[in-house]
Amino acid sequence: MIVRKLPAVGLTVVMALALTGASAQPGTESNQIPAAPPTTAEAKAIIAEHFKAADINHDGKLSREEAKAGMPEVYKHFKEIDVRKRGYVTERQIGAYWEMKTKQQMQKEDPIWN
């Protein structure tokens, strides 16, 4: 059996990007088994889908306003993601930020193996 390991920060970022504004439905059972964390490919697909929806003018870039409206977690970390200080972020920059945070968390959780 292979166990997929995605650190807490990586999972948090992906799930926050995917489920911002989502809340538990009343009457749902709390003893349900949580879904497995997304794989890297699934995380990329989630980011791509939300980026496409947030990119209102379809220029391949998210301005602060587009991020605030469509990807609030990206907006929260906009300064960190926009490393070149251009006033916009690309899907690739968001993915690189997520990957960096995931690697940092993996190193913190298990420094010997990572």
Side-chain angles (χ1 to χ4, degrees), residues 24-86:
Q25 297 296 322
T28 58
E29 295 183 30
S30 62
N31 61 356
Q32 293 179 357
I33 299 172
T39 63
T40 300
E42 291 168 340
K44 286 180 182 181
I46 291 168
I47 291 170
E49 179 181 331
H50 288 276
F51 185 91
K52 185 176 180 180
D55 186 15
I56 303 297
N57 60 2
H58 308 290
D59 64 351
K61 305 169 191 171
L62 285 186
S63 65
R64 282 186 182 278
E65 293 76 28
E66 288 173 324
K68 186 175 185 179
M71 294 183 84
E73 281 299 310
V74 171
Y75 177 74
K76 282 186 200 176
H77 301 281
F78 199 90
K79 287 182 180 179
E80 298 158 42
I81 298 170
D82 184 16
V83 294
R84 294 183 180 147
K85 307 300 179 215
R86 294 181 173 171

Side-chain angles (χ1 to χ4, degrees), residues 6-7 9-10 97-106:
L6 185 64
V9 169
Y97 176 78
W98 172 78
E99 185 177 352
M100 176 194 65
K101 288 304 219 181
T102 301
K103 285 181 181 178
Q104 286 175 352
Q105 185 64 31
M106 287 176 69

